[in-house]
Amino acid sequence: MSLDQRSVRTTAADSPDTVRPAVEIAALRKSFDKLEVLRGIDLVVAPHEVVCLIGSSGSGKSTLLRCINLIEPIDSGRILIDGVDITAPKVDVNKIRRRIGIVFQAFNLFPHMSVLDNVTLAPRKVLRTPSGRAAEEATELLARFGLEDKRDEFPDRLSGGQQQRVAIVRALAMRPDLMLLDEITSALDPELVAEVLNVVRELAGAGMTMIIATHEMGFARDIADRVGFLDAGRILEQGPPDRIFTEPTEVRTRQFLDRVIAAGRM
Amino acid sequence: MAGAISGGPGDSGLLIGLPGGGGRYGRERGSGALRSTLVAFVSTVVFLGVVALLVVNAPGWPAVQESFLNGRVFADSLPLIVRAFWVNVQLFLVSEVLILGFGLVIAVLRSLPGSVLFPIRLIATVYVDVFRALPGILIIYVLGFGIPGLGVTGVSKFVFAILALTLIYSAYVSEVYRAGINSIHPSQDAAARSLGLSRLQSMRHVVLPQAVRRVIPPLLNDFIGLQKDTVLVSYIGVVEIFRQAQIRQSASFNFTPYIVVALVFLLFTIPLARLTDVLVTRDQRRRATTAR
Ligand SMILES: Nc1ncnc2c1ncn2[C@@H]1O[C@H](COP(=O)(O)OP(=O)(O)OP(=O)(O)O)[C@@H](O)[C@H]1O
Ligand SMILES: [Mg+2]
């Protein structure tokens, strides 16, 4: 399914029970040694829905995203992607990862490869797309995000914003059904943030299902269908951005938002 | 004695003349550098001259000259020794290729996680530990005399020599590779895996290309060692440069052939050592500029 075909947007609110969730997380727990980072996460994401995760540093946002992509093994609970339990013992991890794109805070481009090779590596090696076609598709995607002239550059010659956009394109080249974005602008200079966020807006507009961990509250409010507040390893409160940002029910959410406002990040 | 240790009033004057002494005055750097070079050159010539005079005037010198620097023996043994060195070159080249491959396999096996691979990892670890612990000459002896002793015949000494050198050096080289692999930040592997690449694919396309580039200088260093250690296989009867020198020495009752061997190795090894230094320096400079 190509991105452009999914222009019709459905949210959880539109059709609560009829659509099979894109992601369904139940009672997910994860600890590092003695530190319990996720203490029972329940989260349902509908197809084409954009969920933003907010919460203070160390609350477990990154860990949750890494668990969904199976980069981190989980201790207990279940994660269903499109109805398939990916935490079942015998699943093919590589196959599942293909359908989930993840972009990290640090760009993690492959420094020894050109932009084009960064983008085509996985399609060529994993999907076995012939190099010619992989290059064509990559060039098209790069053009869509204003990167066509950077095709043959190496990552160290790009700005942070360009690198991060390449990282997004690299994930998109696998035609994922779900994108996980982990604070993808927090390593960027302020003037570069907008270009990256615009890319994400375009993806949301095209109907990509996304879970986004972010410190950019304005952006979350603007783009999210739903905002989840993560606190001490639980999703303490979730709902439409307008409600969460203006009248949160939980004291901890209010405290967090007050701190964010005091820090001038909203 | 006390004066030499504590230093006399002349010390400060001497220091200014030493290389680097001119650096104190930034504007005079050009002439300071020239003077340093000049001083270094003159002092080297004087030093070597004094040493040469002392050696040549030593009471035993004529005897030493006769047995180590005999022109006739030199001329006679040179062609034979150079021809024998070709055997060392072959030993070196063949085992180098094998070592690069085998060492890499061992390193990758040891770097791959997963409990299924545990027995293989264990074997690889034991191999590396054992072959790094044992003196090389012992391994050459055991393989060169032991395997034929088991009744394996028809295999040339050359093959055992290659086998021994490969096994000895692959253990070291695999550790060099492994250090390179470990130096690549885990986020690179995570990024590759998150795109759906398998462990091996991530290793092959993302981790190894970066790791190998980083360890080229230390690898070259190991190969300088290998070049020299090819003479060790003379002990199992391979007629290479050192063995040939021994033969010439016993034929002529003269040690000059060993001087020939020394010269050949100097000519062959020093360029490689210089190349390694150049690569190391370039690598350090590059890392200094790309460090964030
Ligand atoms: N690999 C790891 N080993 C041990 N502890 C870890 C590891 N990864 C994360 N943690 C710990 O888990 C907790 C949650 O980390 P996580 O990165 O998920 O937080 P976060 O919400 O993403 O924070 P931030 O907003 O700063 O990115 C932290 O206390 C962190 O120290
Ligand atoms: Mg994080």
Side-chain angles (χ1 to χ4, degrees):
Chain A
M1 201 198 301
S2 99
L3 286 176
D4 318 277
Q5 289 167 334
R6 288 191 277 187
S7 45
V8 185
R9 224 166 141 182
T10 29
T11 64
D14 293 338
S15 45
D17 296 315
T18 48
V19 207
R20 184 166 58 194
V23 183
E24 200 174 350
I25 299 168
L28 173 60
R29 284 175 176 273
K30 164 79 188 172
S31 1
F32 294 108
D33 298 323
K34 289 216 177 75
L35 178 72
E36 193 168 34
V37 178
L38 302 179
R39 313 170 179 220
I41 298 278
D42 297 292
L43 179 68
V44 179
V45 182
H48 312 299
E49 193 183 16
V50 175
V51 172
C52 282
L53 297 174
I54 60 171
S56 45
S57 190
S59 56
K61 303 181 294 292
S62 300
T63 307
L64 175 55
L65 294 183
R66 294 167 68 88
C67 285
I68 298 175
N69 197 29
L70 299 178
I71 298 176
E72 294 287 356
I74 67 168
D75 297 338
S76 64
R78 292 207 312 163
I79 304 172
L80 275 66
I81 303 283
D82 218 1
V84 179
D85 187 350
I86 63 168
T87 51
K90 277 200 177 158
V91 297
D92 182 347
V93 184
N94 299 330
K95 221 169 216 160
I96 288 160
R97 290 211 183 94
R98 283 175 214 175
R99 300 166 48 200
I100 307 175
I102 185 164
V103 182
F104 306 91
Q105 171 174 353
F107 323 125
N108 294 340
L109 293 180
F110 307 131
H112 60 297
M113 292 180 190
S114 70
V115 164
L116 183 69
D117 289 341
N118 261 278
V119 176
T120 59
L121 177 70
R124 281 185 287 126
K125 300 299 168 194
V126 179
L127 303 180
R128 308 252 161 236
T129 312
S131 343
R133 219 180 74 223
E136 267 170 43
E137 289 174 5
T139 311
E140 227 168 82
L141 269 179
L142 287 167
R144 184 168 144 207
F145 296 108
L147 292 161
E148 59 272 44
D149 54 331
K150 303 294 175 199
R151 215 184 87 126
D152 301 313
E153 292 283 13
F154 278 76
D156 61 353
R157 312 233 329 170
L158 304 182
S159 75
Q162 289 164 344
Q163 290 187 45
Q164 195 58 294
R165 282 187 283 151
V166 172
I168 294 173
V169 168
R170 183 175 69 177
L172 288 176
M174 290 298 284
R175 307 197 166 283
D177 302 321
L178 170 69
M179 286 282 278
L180 309 172
L181 309 182
D182 187 7
E183 282 175 43
I184 58 171
T185 56
S186 55
L188 297 180
D189 293 335
E191 71 267 25
L192 300 176
V193 169
E195 64 180 77
V196 173
L197 292 187
N198 285 336
V199 167
V200 181
R201 278 197 187 89
E202 165 164 3
L203 285 182
M208 177 64 80
T209 314
M210 288 189 278
I211 306 179
I212 304 174
T214 185
H215 283 297
E216 303 276 343
M217 297 304 152
F219 171 69
R221 188 168 189 165
D222 178 30
I223 197 176
D225 298 312
R226 190 149 46 96
V227 173
F229 173 62
L230 219 68
D231 184 61
R234 288 199 186 82
I235 297 186
L236 196 58
E237 182 169 10
Q238 52 179 305
D242 283 337
R243 187 181 72 67
I244 298 286
F245 285 117
T246 52
E247 39 184 344
T249 50
E250 297 290 333
V251 182
R252 306 247 338 144
T253 317
R254 194 183 305 268
Q255 287 170 340
F256 169 74
L257 290 172
D258 285 346
R259 273 203 310 275
V260 170
I261 292 165
R265 298 197 67 154
M266 196 171 149
Chain B
M1 274 305 278
I5 292 168
S6 65
D11 267 12
S12 56
L14 192 74
L15 268 176
I16 293 172
L18 282 174
R24 257 202 283 169
Y25 308 98
R27 273 164 295 161
E28 291 178 293
R29 247 188 98 217
S31 66
L34 183 70
R35 191 156 54 128
S36 308
T37 314
L38 208 68
V39 170
F41 178 74
V42 170
S43 65
T44 307
V45 168
V46 169
F47 174 76
L48 290 179
V50 169
V51 170
L53 272 177
L54 284 177
V55 169
V56 172
N57 287 313
W61 172 246
V64 169
Q65 188 180 22
E66 168 53 29
S67 51
F68 281 94
L69 297 171
N70 186 309
R72 190 182 37 78
V73 177
F74 188 98
D76 284 351
S77 58
L78 185 66
L80 285 168
I81 284 181
V82 168
R83 201 170 310 148
F85 185 61
W86 175 235
V87 176
N88 294 71
V89 172
Q90 284 173 310
L91 282 168
F92 172 70
L93 290 178
V94 175
S95 37
E96 175 175 316
V97 170
L98 294 176
I99 290 161
L100 280 173
F102 189 50
L104 185 63
V105 169
I106 296 291
V108 168
L109 286 179
R110 291 191 70 187
S111 302
L112 287 176
S115 43
V116 184
L117 285 173
F118 180 78
I120 295 175
R121 233 169 16 236
L122 184 70
I123 294 170
T125 309
V126 168
Y127 156 71
V128 171
D129 283 354
V130 167
F131 279 78
R132 286 200 308 167
L134 294 175
I137 187 70
L138 202 71
I139 295 162
I140 291 169
Y141 258 84
V142 168
L143 286 176
F145 295 126
I147 296 183
L150 286 174
V152 179
T153 50
V155 182
S156 88
K157 293 269 186 231
F158 187 81
V159 173
F160 289 124
I162 296 271
L163 185 66
L165 289 172
T166 304
L167 286 174
I168 295 165
Y169 269 85
S170 295
Y172 288 95
V173 163
S174 77
E175 286 300 281
V176 172
Y177 277 129
R178 224 157 59 91
I181 291 170
N182 290 339
S183 79
I184 303 301
H185 197 274
S187 64
Q188 285 286 308
D189 181 59
R193 305 274 286 129
S194 76
L195 288 165
L197 271 72
S198 67
R199 286 210 166 96
L200 268 176
Q201 284 176 321
S202 166
M203 184 61 92
R204 155 87 182 74
H205 298 290
V206 173
V207 177
L208 277 185
Q210 298 181 63
V212 169
R213 220 163 290 183
R214 272 189 204 179
V215 297
I216 286 173
L219 281 181
L220 284 174
N221 225 354
D222 274 354
F223 285 138
I224 294 172
L226 173 64
Q227 245 173 34
K228 294 184 296 182
D229 278 356
T230 52
V231 301
L232 290 180
V233 305
S234 62
Y235 288 102
I236 57 171
V238 176
V239 183
E240 44 66 74
I241 190 169
F242 188 61
R243 185 87 196 138
Q244 183 62 268
Q246 282 176 322
I247 295 168
R248 297 320 305 155
Q249 180 249 318
S250 39
S252 63
F253 302 106
N254 191 289
F255 290 101
T256 306
Y258 292 128
I259 298 295
V260 179
V261 173
L263 287 177
V264 170
F265 269 100
L266 287 176
L267 281 177
F268 201 67
T269 305
I270 287 180
L272 187 59
R274 291 265 65 84
L275 174 70
T276 308
D277 282 357
V278 168
L279 288 177
V280 169
T281 322
R282 190 187 298 170
D283 184 60
Q284 277 168 351
R285 205 174 303 142
R286 204 186 51 223
R287 260 190 239 187
T289 53
T290 54
R292 294 192 183 157

